[in-house]
Amino acid sequence: MFAIIKEGHRIAKELRYDYSILIGHETYYPRFGYVPAKAFGITASFEVNDKNFMAYSLSGTDKMPNGMLVYPKEFGI
């Protein structure tokens, strides 16, 4: 599974994304460097447990945009 996440990060960097945000298991994703998004001042526009809403810096810096993540209307959230 690590290879899939690593490849996803590689593709995201290639596409010039600076960060990755996900909703995932609180003991699984931290092993890949994900931390609670609230540590960066990132919140969700929907109800989600803080320990499952995580962010990862693809550039390796602590600089992340802070604010609220809003999904496109197609997600129905």
Side-chain angles (χ1 to χ4, degrees):
M1 191 60 90
F2 179 73
I4 292 171
I5 293 172
K6 188 174 178 180
E7 179 66 2
H9 287 171
R10 185 194 67 74
I11 292 168
K13 286 179 192 178
E14 189 176 281
L15 293 171
R16 297 185 175 205
Y17 288 101
D18 293 322
Y19 55 93
S20 172
I21 299 173
L22 59 76
I23 299 170
H25 197 275
E26 71 270 11
T27 62
Y28 183 75
Y29 286 96
R31 71 182 78 180
F32 304 109
Y34 284 85
V35 297
K38 72 177 182 176
F40 297 106
I42 301 170
T43 60
S45 61
F46 50 89
E47 286 291 319
V48 62
N49 191 316
D50 286 342
K51 65 184 178 181
N52 301 110
F53 186 56
M54 294 176 259
Y56 173 78
S57 172
L58 293 164
S59 62
T61 68
D62 290 338
K63 186 177 181 184
M64 289 257 208
N66 59 22
M68 182 177 288
L69 175 70
V70 178
Y71 277 82
K73 65 180 177 185
E74 291 80 9
F75 282 86
I77 297 174

